[in-house]
Amino acid sequence: MLKLNTAQNRTPGFDGKRLHLLESAARVFSRTGYDGASMRRIAAEAQVSPAGIYNYVAGKEELLYWIQYHTFDSLLRSLNRSLEGVSDPRVRLATAVRNHVRHFGENMHELKVCARELETLEGEAYDAVHERRRSYFEAFHNLVKGLQPEQGHQPDSWIATANLFGMINWFYQWYDAGRSRMSLDDLAAQQTALFLDGYFASTSNGDDGGNE
Amino acid sequence: MLKLNTAQNRTPGFDGKRLHLLESAARVFSRTGYDGASMRRIAAEAQVSPAGIYNYVAGKEELLYWIQYHTFDSLLRSLNRSLEGVSDPRVRLATAVRNHVRHFGENMHELKVCARELETLEGEAYDAVHERRRSYFEAFHNLVKGLQPEQGHQPDSWIATANLFGMINWFYQWYDAGRSRMSLDDLAAQQTALFLDGYFASTSNGDDGGNE
DNA sequence: GAGGCGTACGAACGAACGTTCGTACGTAAG
DNA sequence: CTTACGTACGAACGTTCGTTCGTACGCCTC
């Protein structure tokens, strides 16, 4: 199961075409869901014949796998990059949330697929994506734990992180990038403030809650 | 489209059997998604023949419709019931969250379907469910707005409510009722405290943030 | 017993699914 | 020019889908 399309003799432009195919698939998946999306529709979206898809991926399953793996991997990568040189715990968390929300806004289709089809893959493919996802969550969990260096043990930090993930993942359900008057950065700041200081403090202050 | 199974001469037990069918369908939908669920599997889960389903509903679409409509409707009903006689704004919000989380825990399948298949239905069916969903959200929005009676206008209360919904809706992704050491009520209290006072205040206090 | 109706199911329908096969075209190496 | 190979597609495969049809059984009313 899940025989990946291994490296072989390729034509220049192969990678670019496969990337284009993955983007098209992500669009269709985000619109109709994984099961509701047909290879024929994906092919039409990518302007290829249905059979032509199989020159670039081994099957429908691998399309979803690459989309999810690439998304979590690049999320994690850009997170680590944006955290470089930032030391204040509150600012670090704010940076992470901003990175997440920006990534969401710019790759709405991919992340929608990642949020909705978490349990679709099975076996090795699921495990591989799960590992990246877990790493990303752990990164956030560490940021949350880092908020309180004075306390040795914080039993609820895991659940607090899970709730934070709820806020920053659920917003794809209601946020419309083109139509909203609020920018992605403003939204991220508000979510950070809400998590750190709660609704009262984050709204009675004019700013985002005091992160430097 | 969406011709509902109108009231006709029924046998006693008809409603009970249909309810049982809806519960079976909700289980299958929550396991494999709407598109991934086949009528044959739903029939097997309900211990009926595939053709027998059509004695109780007009089709697959109506199964999802009834599940979603009934879920939001009973959520809204139990919310209003549990708010009776509660006046303190913070306690009202805590009550609403507790009601939501309890309902989630007791009807995991149905609410999972409601969270994941929000955009599956179309036309009149979607509109009917959407109206119930909107009413439920508005109820929460009013509770949030009620937290600050002294301020006339709170522009971000809508977004804050949406973020609160993120917390209390996303937890089906990680909460395992049977395996978690935290009760549903404790979780609800923690989520309320997190929303009201933020991570610092809600965890440095030992209690749930001061409700009652 | 005869008739009507609600309920149940096996069989079958056309449609759509993911995927494979055979073939054709274009290009780079021999 | 010939050969080899990556790329592309139309056609077709077997399977599964949601749904319908015809029929049979059980129960109530005459």
Side-chain angles (χ1 to χ4, degrees), chain B residues 87-98:
Chain B
S87 58
D88 181 274
R90 290 173 68 102
V91 181
R92 282 174 68 84
L93 186 69
T95 303
V97 172
R98 194 186 326 122

Side-chain angles (χ1 to χ4, degrees), chain B residues 104-162:
Chain B
F104 234 123
E106 293 162 7
N107 307 73
M108 209 50 139
H109 301 305
E110 281 85 351
L111 279 146
K112 213 165 170 179
V113 173
C114 287
R116 282 165 53 173
E117 311 287 352
L118 276 179
E119 300 176 352
T120 303
L121 290 173
E122 298 173 349
E124 307 172 33
Y126 174 84
D127 294 340
V129 174
H130 187 71
E131 183 272 337
R132 290 281 84 180
R133 180 154 68 93
R134 192 171 194 83
S135 294
Y136 188 62
F137 181 87
E138 280 303 322
F140 267 77
H141 189 195
N142 286 331
L143 292 178
V144 171
K145 282 191 287 191
L147 289 170
Q148 303 165 308
E150 67 276 6
Q151 291 188 246
H153 188 50
Q154 184 55 47
D156 292 340
S157 63
W158 192 93
I159 288 178
T161 307

Side-chain angles (χ1 to χ4, degrees), chain A residues 9 11 14 17 48-49 51 55-56:
Chain A
N9 291 343
T11 271
F14 181 94
K17 288 189 178 181
V48 197
S49 77
N55 288 325
Y56 297 96

Side-chain angles (χ1 to χ4, degrees), chain B residues 9 11 14 17 40 48-49 51 55-56:
Chain B
N9 293 342
T11 272
F14 181 94
K17 289 188 178 181
R40 287 165 176 83
V48 197
S49 76
N55 287 326
Y56 297 94

Side-chain angles (χ1 to χ4, degrees), chain B residues 32-191:
Chain B
T32 64
Y34 175 79
D35 280 301
S38 71
M39 296 297 272
R40 287 165 176 83
R41 195 189 290 269
I42 294 171
E45 178 90 13
Q47 309 212 60
V48 197
S49 76
I53 294 181
Y54 294 84
N55 287 326
Y56 297 94
V57 291
K60 190 181 180 185
E61 217 183 342
E62 193 179 318
L63 280 174
L64 180 59
Y65 169 76
W66 280 120
I67 291 170
Q68 291 192 342
Y69 187 89
H70 173 266
T71 296
F72 282 117
D73 195 55
S74 70
L75 256 179
L76 195 48
R77 245 195 272 270
S78 67
L79 172 64
N80 289 329
R81 201 182 321 123
S82 65
L83 281 180
E84 282 173 7
V86 183
S87 58
D88 181 274
R90 290 173 68 102
V91 181
R92 282 174 68 84
L93 186 69
T95 303
V97 172
R98 194 186 326 122
N99 177 76
H100 183 96
V101 173
R102 275 186 191 170
H103 207 114
F104 234 123
E106 293 162 7
N107 307 73
M108 209 50 139
H109 301 305
E110 281 85 351
L111 279 146
K112 213 165 170 179
V113 173
C114 287
R116 282 165 53 173
E117 311 287 352
L118 276 179
E119 300 176 352
T120 303
L121 290 173
E122 298 173 349
E124 307 172 33
Y126 174 84
D127 294 340
V129 174
H130 187 71
E131 183 272 337
R132 290 281 84 180
R133 180 154 68 93
R134 192 171 194 83
S135 294
Y136 188 62
F137 181 87
E138 280 303 322
F140 267 77
H141 189 195
N142 286 331
L143 292 178
V144 171
K145 282 191 287 191
L147 289 170
Q148 303 165 308
E150 67 276 6
Q151 291 188 246
H153 188 50
Q154 184 55 47
D156 292 340
S157 63
W158 192 93
I159 288 178
T161 307
N163 282 321
L164 174 61
F165 258 62
M167 283 200 294
I168 66 179
N169 281 332
W170 187 257
F171 89 99
Y172 80 90
Q173 295 269 16
W174 53 270
Y175 186 81
D176 187 337
R179 215 156 303 180
S180 174
R181 71 196 186 294
M182 180 177 245
S183 75
L184 288 169
D185 282 8
D186 288 342
L187 175 61
Q190 179 156 339
Q191 288 174 325

Side-chain angles (χ1 to χ4, degrees), chain A residues 74-125:
Chain A
S74 70
L75 255 180
L76 195 49
R77 245 195 272 270
S78 67
L79 172 63
N80 289 328
R81 201 183 321 125
S82 65
L83 281 179
E84 283 174 7
V86 183
S87 57
D88 182 273
R90 291 173 68 102
V91 181
R92 281 175 69 82
L93 186 70
T95 303
V97 172
R98 195 186 324 120
N99 177 76
H100 183 95
V101 173
R102 274 185 190 170
H103 207 114
F104 234 125
E106 293 161 5
N107 307 73
M108 207 54 140
H109 300 304
E110 282 84 352
L111 280 146
K112 213 165 171 178
V113 172
C114 287
R116 282 165 50 172
E117 310 287 350
L118 277 180
E119 300 175 353
T120 302
L121 290 175
E122 299 173 348
E124 308 173 30

